[in-house]
């Protein structure tokens, strides 16, 4: 059985992870609006670093038992979907096309 404190911690962990994902989304939106070369290696490096950091936060929250692996995967997949949408909106023809 879960105590109210544990439930509060779990809800807070999910909220913080979602806030971090939103920060990454905002960073990408700002960068895409101001970059002339969206395929800039430095930009891609920053994005990769941010996504890696978020994935490590999620792994840590899973290990602590604050979220399930599936909840963590949903956060990452939702961010990836939003990023694809941003690319499609800001850079038509880039989105999910290969």
């Amino acid at each position: 059985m879960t105590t109210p404190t544990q439930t509060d911690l779990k809800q807070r962990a999910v909220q913080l992870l979602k806030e971090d994902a939103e920060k990454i989304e905002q960073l990408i939106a700002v960068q895409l609006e101001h970059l002339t070369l969206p395929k800039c290696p430095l930009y891609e490096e920053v994005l990769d670093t941010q996504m890696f950091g978020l994935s490590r936060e999620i792994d840590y929250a899973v290990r602590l038992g604050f979220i399930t692996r599936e909840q963590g995967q949903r956060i990452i997949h939702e961010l990836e979907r939003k990023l694809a949408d941003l690319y499609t909106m800001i850079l038509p023809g880039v989105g999910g096309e290969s």
Side-chain angles (χ1 to χ4, degrees):
M1 192 158 160
T2 308
T3 66
T5 303
Q6 289 172 323
T7 300
D8 292 343
L9 286 174
K10 290 178 181 183
Q11 290 173 346
R12 183 71 176 138
V14 170
Q15 182 61 36
L16 288 173
L17 291 170
K18 287 182 178 180
E19 287 173 10
D20 287 349
E22 289 172 8
K23 288 177 187 175
I24 294 171
E25 182 182 349
Q26 291 170 357
L27 171 71
I28 291 162
V30 169
Q31 290 295 329
L32 286 174
E33 289 174 10
H34 295 95
L35 280 176
T36 55
L37 297 173
K39 287 294 185 183
C40 171
L42 180 58
Y43 166 75
E44 289 181 353
E45 184 71 26
V46 169
L47 175 58
D48 287 346
T49 301
Q50 293 293 318
M51 292 294 289
F52 177 76
L54 179 62
S55 72
R56 299 307 306 150
E57 288 179 44
I58 289 170
D59 286 344
Y60 186 66
V62 168
R63 289 174 43 209
L64 287 172
F66 288 163
I67 65 172
T68 65
R69 173 96 26 223
E70 292 76 24
Q71 286 174 303
Q73 288 173 341
R74 277 196 300 271
I75 292 169
I76 291 289
H77 291 301
E78 183 177 325
L79 179 58
E80 289 172 342
R81 183 190 51 78
K82 288 180 180 178
L83 296 179
D85 291 346
L86 277 173
Y87 275 111
T88 301
M89 287 179 357
I90 296 172
L91 302 167
V94 173
E97 295 179 11
S98 299

